[in-house]
Amino acid sequence: MAAENPGGSSGGGPSDAGDNASAMTFGTGKKAKGAVAEHAFWDKQPVPRLDADIPEGTNEPIERVYENIKQDPYSLPEGYEWSDIVIDEPAQLTEVYDLLHENYVEDDDAMFRFDYSREFLVWALKPPGWLVTWHAGVRVSKSKKLVGFITAIPAEIVMRGTPVRQVEINFLCVHKKLRHKRLAPVLIKEITRRVHLQGIFQAVYTAGVELPRPVAKCQYFHRSLHPKKLVDIGFSYLRKSMTMKGMVKLYALPAEPLIPGIRAMRPDDVPACAALLRAYLAEKTLMYPVLSDEEFAHWVLPREGVVFSYVVPQADGRVTDFCSFYRLPSSVIGNAKYPTLYAAYSYYNVATSVTLQALMKDALIFAKAAGMDVFNALNLMENDAFLEELKFGPGDGSLHYYCYNWVTPQMDPSKVGLVLL
């Protein structure tokens, strides 16, 4: 199956020094024959070099003390100015939506482009503790048009047993016509400065390309829900040995979920589900978020058209399992018949009373019923346990996880317990 190449769930974290804001093409750097790729911007940042030898057991900041943090914003090219983006204001939210819709992550063949909804952006950018100053925009001084954007949100991430207060960086985007202005490196430095002013000196981010230096490399897998549409839009292909009728039959699913009693998650399920997730991540993974009940409620409770979550209750009322996925459509560029690809992305899942395969099969059934065309999953956490059995196919896309100002050896994808949007 062909991958949808907008490589990560977002893929819009900090990339390399060029001004292409797409994680698929931005930041590949130049590579001399027989040499490690050059990354002019990142070689000056507190991140390990690609060829660094990181001893086992290393797990610490690269720069422990920051002094003389810059108090004033970084300079922009003449004719541009900084702007804090107030997501609560509908007009500014629409500006962000329009910028991302027209200029954000595309696949290498320019067939698909992420289409984050306004509701998704509010969910992604306003978790507990969010700051308006961490939604940094660049505007044209005369017209006030928004042409650049980058964000940070607060997080506590455990790194190999060490809780680290940090931020998640996302939505780096520069208008296509202005990428020669080299705004992206300035956006990265400015959001770093703003985060430093709050006393936070670490960050996590993802990209579809390899930069200095990944802490993990995950692969995308895709499960067809509407195979005919996926073939028609070029997302996947029909093997020579298979007819379309046979392909539809191969990926057919029951109309109703199979686990008795499975239902949508409710607010009163949050304490039990949050405890399940905290215990699971601490036991099974090495890099994972620490989520309070309030944060879990924000991220995992159902939101119409955005995030979908389901629980398995027992006869005594205890919730013992849950699954979740979020909806992230992509525009199908130049396709009048199918302008939108509706994709579900596996999120956080914990199975204790049923198998993970059974739980995720019901997730597929729920996703299809909600109108999704494809269900995407990374091979992180214990996802490998269900990918083959549930007929997921490997995609072309990889997602690299990075830590800013933190050094630790690369870990297996199964030890990653963090999903970035």
Side-chain angles (χ1 to χ4, degrees), residues 214-219 379 398-401 410-413 416:
V215 70
K217 180 180 179 180
C218 302
Q219 184 177 8
N379 62 336
S398 295
L399 190 66
H400 301 79
Y401 279 74
Q410 191 170 87
M411 64 184 66
D412 187 83
V416 176

Side-chain angles (χ1 to χ4, degrees), residues 9-14 21-23 87 96-97 99-101 103-105 114-118 120-126 134-137 146-153 168-174 187-188 205-206 299 326 328 420-421:
S9 305
S10 67
S22 163
I87 297 297
V96 172
Y97 170 80
L99 177 68
L100 297 176
H101 180 72
N103 301 280
Y104 201 46
V105 179
F114 282 141
D115 186 12
Y116 291 89
S117 68
R118 293 166 179 81
F120 191 108
L121 292 170
V122 169
W123 174 57
L125 295 177
K126 292 185 59 182
W134 288 356
H135 301 162
L146 183 68
V147 294
F149 191 54
I150 193 170
T151 69
I153 58 170
E168 299 172 4
I169 301 294
N170 209 344
F171 298 111
L172 169 61
C173 185
V174 174
L187 279 161
I188 295 168
Y205 50 100
T206 59
W299 290 121
Y326 60 89
L328 176 50
L420 298 184
L421 306 178

